[in-house]
Amino acid sequence: MNNPNNPLARQNGIVVQEMPDEVLVYDLDSNKAHCLNKSAAFVWKSCDGTNSVGDIVKQFEATGGGKVTEDFVWLAIDQLGENGLLSNEVAPRFQGQSRRQVLKTIGLASMVALPVIASLVAPQNALASVSCTCTTNSNCAGRACPSTTNCNPVGLCAPTAP
Amino acid sequence: MIESFTFTFESYGARVRLSSNERSTLDGLVAVARVSLLGRVTEVDGGEPDIVFELNRLDNGDIMLVQDGTELGASDSELKAYRFFDSILRVSVGEHAPGLVFLHAGAVGWKGKSIIMPAESFQGKSTLVTELVRAGCEYYSDDFAVLDENAYLRPFPRKISRRTEDFKTYELSIDDIGGKTGTAAIEPGVVLLTAFQEDAEFAPIFETPGTGVLKLIPFTLSIRKQPDFAMGVLHKLSSRAIIISSLRGSAERFARTLLDFVDKNVN
């Protein structure tokens, strides 16, 4: 039975692509893409609202993932929560500690690849990310072009040729 | 009442409406669209457009480009306005094209497999594509790698756009460089995430399929408009292609190095 204190993976408003050792999740609300490594993906899939953190530890070990601690699973849950991949609020375990500190503590005690979620926001403006053409100087602001302030006479966000 | 001239067309499955308060300006837009989209402009009657562009002459003589009701900028230069429209039209069609994913990337074919090189503007995509074509690759695009639902690369062979060091622009045709344009859809081979750095040596890092897809997202035009389809195609691409990252030195020298790598690892 679901226990509101147990983490529950988000099911709605996401696109999921399963890969052999990773899971990709695209969040349709935030337009953010996440790549969960094998450990993070296992924990995420185990967050069904019935499994406690202790249960997930046991399942991880039972499926040959290797010996892990509850902190290991919490590290994944904290990242899942931060990235909006849980549908319930789970109080963060490592609040106030830097990620570096946490990784050091858990990493030293673990022989298993730590759960990692890499994330990236999809560009809001497709044109800005692929083109340096412009009609006015203001078109150049915020673009990865040779100039962010000058629309030159041939319509490029670039310095004006002498 | 201000008169409005319109032209509605379909290109790569996306429906676009152009309008202007001047007949001659509309004709100019249509002409630019035909070149920009490689002639794949089919006039259609009615229907809701996916994208609407307006290029209107203002009272002060400037021309204002508007997309879907949002003013993108006014200019006293027709050249700038049409050039900007040319870019934004391709991007917009790429965002909306059903059944296709447009990646901002240079793309060539080598022994029946694709080599796709995503990069931001001014990162040397066209230079590298030119050198690869000179080295024997088939030309697919220096602008967008167009992928179908199976992540096969389809040709989008615009003229190669080059720039001088002082930002003057010119175009090269494939004939100018003695190359050949690919016509068939080809299966995934290599995706190369690269940037130029003086004297850099090729040191490829193999990306996992997941991190590879993550790194391709910034170059995927339809990621926000069609995330489900785009993610599916990127997944197929990443499961069939090798995705590598490496800095590169001069394109001329690097082209041969890359092809040797592809021969060893893909074909």
Side-chain angles (χ1 to χ4, degrees):
Chain A
M1 222 174 85
N2 272 14
N3 176 337
N5 295 319
N6 291 337
L8 181 61
R10 182 173 157 197
Q11 303 287 334
N12 298 319
I14 52 174
V15 174
V16 179
Q17 293 286 334
E18 302 241 6
M19 299 179 160
D21 288 325
E22 295 158 301
V23 169
L24 276 166
V25 184
Y26 187 87
D27 185 332
L28 298 169
D29 299 330
S30 64
N31 284 297
K32 215 169 164 184
H34 309 280
C35 177
L36 284 60
N37 74 353
K38 195 174 180 178
S39 302
F42 183 92
V43 173
W44 188 57
K45 287 182 203 165
S46 305
C47 292
D48 61 358
T50 65
N51 286 325
S52 66
V53 169
D55 295 334
I56 297 173
V57 168
K58 284 181 201 150
Q59 288 172 11
F60 193 94
E61 292 176 351
T63 52
K67 191 150 179 55
V68 294
T69 61
E70 287 203 358
D71 277 352
F72 178 95
V73 172
W74 273 111
L75 177 62
I77 291 172
D78 275 10
Q79 292 179 76
L80 291 167
E82 277 168 24
N83 286 297
L85 297 177
L86 296 177
S87 60
N88 60 345
E89 290 262 339
V90 179
R93 170 84 156 206
F94 302 111
Q95 204 163 23
Q97 292 183 54
S98 72
R99 178 62 42 86
R100 187 187 287 263
Q101 274 177 304
V102 174
L103 289 175
K104 203 172 163 189
T105 311
I106 303 170
L108 287 173
S110 175
M111 299 299 285
V112 178
L114 294 176
V116 175
I117 301 177
S119 303
L120 179 147
V121 179
Q124 192 165 13
N125 180 342
L127 179 74
S129 62
V130 305
S131 170
C132 286
T133 56
C134 52
T135 56
T136 65
N137 293 342
S138 62
N139 292 144
C140 302
R143 293 213 218 164
C145 297
S147 173
T148 53
T149 54
N150 185 56
C151 181
N152 77 11
V154 295
L156 279 178
C157 297
T160 300
Chain B
M1 195 176 138
I2 300 166
E3 198 170 6
S4 179
F5 302 93
T6 65
F7 179 84
T8 306
F9 67 92
E10 204 176 280
S11 184
Y12 296 90
R15 193 170 277 240
V16 184
R17 180 177 297 151
L18 307 178
S19 83
S20 176
N21 57 2
E22 288 182 329
R23 174 90 246 171
S24 59
T25 302
L26 177 68
D27 292 344
L29 287 174
V30 174
V32 170
R34 289 192 194 283
V35 175
S36 183
L37 298 166
L38 304 169
R40 289 181 61 162
V41 168
T42 307
E43 188 171 7
V44 291
D45 284 329
E48 265 309 294
D50 299 307
I51 317 147
V52 178
F53 288 105
E54 297 164 57
L55 193 60
N56 292 320
R57 181 76 58 186
L58 305 178
D59 291 339
N60 66 0
D62 286 0
I63 38 182
M64 166 69 79
L65 182 60
V66 179
Q67 181 185 8
D68 299 327
T70 302
E71 292 184 353
L72 301 180
S75 175
D76 58 0
S77 158
E78 290 200 359
L79 168 78
K80 279 187 183 181
Y82 282 127
R83 251 189 106 155
F84 192 45
F85 167 69
D86 170 56
S87 270
I88 202 164
L89 172 66
R90 275 195 306 282
V91 170
S92 303
V93 166
E95 285 180 300
H96 288 88
L100 295 171
V101 168
F102 281 57
L103 283 182
H104 187 232
V108 296
W110 178 246
K111 300 181 181 173
K113 300 235 170 120
S114 64
I115 302 176
I116 296 172
M117 297 155 286
E120 289 176 345
S121 295
F122 284 87
Q123 293 298 317
K125 279 192 313 294
S126 298
T127 310
L128 185 50
V129 164
T130 304
E131 293 308 325
L132 286 166
V133 171
R134 284 191 174 128
C137 290
E138 287 189 318
Y139 177 60
Y140 275 74
S141 183
D142 76 330
D143 197 9
F144 293 113
V146 179
L147 306 177
D148 65 19
E149 71 275 15
N150 295 313
Y152 276 48
L153 176 68
R154 295 181 172 252
F156 191 75
R158 298 180 67 237
K159 283 192 172 175
I160 297 178
S161 174
R162 300 291 301 266
R163 277 182 286 266
T164 59
E165 280 185 7
D166 59 355
F167 305 109
K168 291 189 177 114
T169 56
Y170 62 98
E171 291 185 330
L172 287 176
S173 74
I174 281 301
D175 291 340
D176 292 336
I177 56 174
K180 214 171 111 186
T181 300
T183 52
I186 50 172
E187 59 183 296
V190 168
V191 178
L192 169 67
L193 296 146
T194 189
F196 171 76
Q197 185 181 289
E198 193 83 43
D199 299 327
E201 290 297 325
F202 181 51
I205 294 166
F206 288 75
E207 302 287 347
T208 64
T211 56
V213 169
L214 209 59
K215 290 183 178 182
L216 290 176
I217 282 176
F219 306 104
T220 307
L221 297 192
S222 57
I223 193 68
R224 284 190 176 229
K225 307 263 188 227
Q226 309 177 65
D228 214 335
F229 180 75
M231 289 292 283
V233 171
L234 293 181
H235 181 185
K236 283 178 191 161
L237 178 66
S238 71
S239 19
R240 302 187 61 180
I242 293 173
I243 305 183
I244 52 170
S245 304
S246 175
L247 290 171
R248 66 166 178 89
S250 88
E252 204 174 322
R253 207 159 46 88
F254 178 68
R256 197 57 255 172
T257 306
L258 177 62
L259 295 181
D260 288 344
F261 172 86
V262 176
D263 282 340
K264 277 190 199 130
N265 291 277
V266 179
N267 286 307

